[in-house]
Amino acid sequence: MRTHLPSRKVIAVLTAALLATGMAACGNSDTGGSASGDDGTITLGFSQVGAESGWRTANTTSIKEAATGAGIDLKFDDAQQKQENQIKAIRNFIQQKVDVIAFSPVVESGWDTVLKEAKDAKIPVILTDRSVDSADKSLYKTFLGSDFVKEGRLAGEWLVEQKKAASGPVNIVELQGTTGSAPANDRKKGFAEAIAANPNLKIIASQSGDFTRAGGKQVMEQFLKANPKIDVLFAHNDDMGLGALEAITAAGKVPGKDITIITVDAVKDGMQALADGKFNFIAECSPLLGPQLMDLVKKVHNGEEVPARIETQETTFTQEQAKEALPNRKY
Ligand code: GYE
């Protein structure tokens, strides 16, 4: 026997369905609303390192734009280069029951406890830009970012080639990134490994400038005071190299000539210095991680498998190549 719904019931069901859709639409526009609402919008909690460099600014812009483009509700926190702030932000995200947490860990160590808390709350975590040294790989779904060891190695290999005819010692000073951060540890390692190919190449001083211009300037001033003969500067990012330029010029030396300068990143200001002959070589590190990150956020939210490691594609720049690339450089 066929059953028919009484027409009043049909109307009631339809009305309820329409109301639900309407409410979902309202929820959509409510960006500050409760996380993991049932309207299907994914809420992403993102803890950024800070705003220490041109690279970081470009990275933040890329993430914010990509979230908007992907229709992802982004809760963004700036940790001002402090691990304790990042841990606090992650705990807040857990409390707010966001769907996915992503962060760029300022340093490599000390994350296990908070990552375990996220795991217990069943919130997937994505590492972006920088990684952690946790032995338990199940604490995060994937790591999206550059190969920092390779960047250091490319910088070192270029120098080995430039100085292959050197008959005496070549004195190198190194401006390290934030102490304990993955890019500082890894770029230092890759560079040291590469220059070992030429025993004339010697690092005579190495200190952190915290990835900032002010830090780069200040530490370079100390280097110049303490060391009468500096032939090469390897700075772990453009910003520290740009800060160092001021110190070098103030000391009466010509950057790019008296002192060969190698940096990492290739942000616009760095590329300009390279094109102007003040820098000599840059190993690129791309900050444009936003679109790939949003793809991963959707996938892990849907429970799809993602590769444990996703590496960013990068290149290197000489002065001539910088001149060519500069007009189209977006960041
Ligand atoms: O090279 C530097 C920034 O983690 C790759 O952080 C990033 C580094 C980048 O401050 O400029």
Side-chain angles (χ1 to χ4, degrees), residues 216-235:
K217 180 175 178 218
Q218 200 202 329
V219 177
M220 192 66 202
E221 280 166 359
Q222 292 168 24
F223 284 165
L224 286 159
K225 266 188 211 136
N227 305 284
K229 182 180 177 287
I230 296 174
D231 303 303
V232 178
L233 163 64
F234 173 45

Side-chain angles (χ1 to χ4, degrees), residues 49 52-56 81 104-105 129-130 146 148 151 178 181 183 187 210-212 236-239 264-265 267 285-286:
V49 168
E52 73 282 3
S53 64
W55 190 100
R56 190 63 54 198
Q81 295 245 67
S104 172
D129 159 34
R130 300 183 184 178
S146 310
F148 300 134
E151 291 164 356
T178 301
S181 69
R187 287 171 186 164
D210 211 12
F211 278 132
T212 65
H236 288 187
N237 77 344
D238 288 337
D239 281 78
V264 185
D265 277 356
V267 295
C285 178
S286 175

Side-chain angles (χ1 to χ4, degrees), residues 24-307:
C26 288
N28 244 340
S29 61
D30 179 15
T31 49
S34 79
S36 59
D38 41 23
D39 64 351
T41 303
I42 301 172
T43 305
L44 168 67
F46 183 83
S47 167
Q48 180 59 293
V49 168
E52 73 282 3
S53 64
W55 190 100
R56 190 63 54 198
T57 311
N59 181 245
T60 293
T61 305
S62 170
I63 286 163
K64 287 185 174 169
E65 285 179 0
T68 307
I72 288 173
D73 179 11
L74 175 69
K75 296 185 184 300
F76 183 92
D77 185 87
D78 175 341
Q80 302 183 334
Q81 295 245 67
K82 291 204 178 73
Q83 182 173 33
E84 64 196 84
N85 291 346
Q86 286 200 298
I87 292 175
K88 244 185 246 160
I90 294 168
R91 290 203 167 122
N92 277 337
F93 295 147
I94 295 172
Q95 220 160 29
Q96 293 172 61
K97 298 190 168 43
V98 299
D99 296 308
V100 180
I101 292 172
F103 78 116
S104 172
V106 59
V107 291
E108 286 188 281
S109 317
W111 299 103
D112 289 26
T113 308
V114 74
L115 289 178
K116 180 89 179 20
E117 288 166 21
K119 193 179 174 188
D120 290 346
K122 300 201 169 26
I123 301 176
V125 172
I126 298 174
L127 302 179
T128 141
D129 159 34
R130 300 183 184 178
S131 191
V132 299
D133 64 4
S134 304
D136 181 357
K137 306 288 179 222
S138 79
L139 293 177
Y140 55 91
K141 295 285 176 203
T142 181
F143 166 41
L144 164 69
S146 310
D147 181 343
F148 300 134
V149 177
K150 184 170 157 198
E151 291 164 356
R153 197 185 317 124
L154 290 171
E157 281 169 0
W158 179 83
L159 187 63
V160 167
E161 179 61 24
Q162 295 301 303
K163 302 289 179 188
K164 65 180 176 210
S167 49
V170 175
N171 290 345
I172 306 166
V173 295
E174 180 179 37
L175 282 169
Q176 295 179 37
T178 301
T179 306
S181 69
N185 293 342
D186 293 354
R187 287 171 186 164
K188 182 171 189 22
K189 181 170 182 271
F191 185 76
E193 279 170 11
I195 63 165
N198 181 347
N200 279 326
L201 302 181
K202 284 206 177 70
I203 299 177
I204 56 164
S206 180
Q207 210 179 299
S208 172
D210 211 12
F211 278 132
T212 65
R213 285 193 196 203
K217 180 175 178 218
Q218 200 202 329
V219 177
M220 192 66 202
E221 280 166 359
Q222 292 168 24
F223 284 165
L224 286 159
K225 266 188 211 136
N227 305 284
K229 182 180 177 287
I230 296 174
D231 303 303
V232 178
L233 163 64
F234 173 45
H236 288 187
N237 77 344
D238 288 337
D239 281 78
M240 291 190 296
L242 291 163
L245 287 183
E246 294 177 41
I248 293 168
T249 313
K253 303 202 185 227
V254 182
K257 302 231 158 47
D258 297 335
I259 299 180
T260 299
I261 301 178
I262 308 166
T263 66
V264 185
D265 277 356
V267 295
K268 216 171 200 167
D269 289 352
M271 291 287 270
Q272 188 64 58
L274 186 58
D276 292 346
K278 295 173 182 164
F279 284 0
N280 302 79
F281 189 72
I282 303 181
E284 186 187 35
C285 178
S286 175
L288 306 181
L289 304 177
Q292 271 175 297
L293 173 61
M294 298 312 145
D295 265 9
L296 288 168
V297 166
K298 285 184 182 169
K299 284 187 175 142
V300 300
H301 180 62
N302 292 339
E304 288 174 42
E305 280 298 311
V306 293

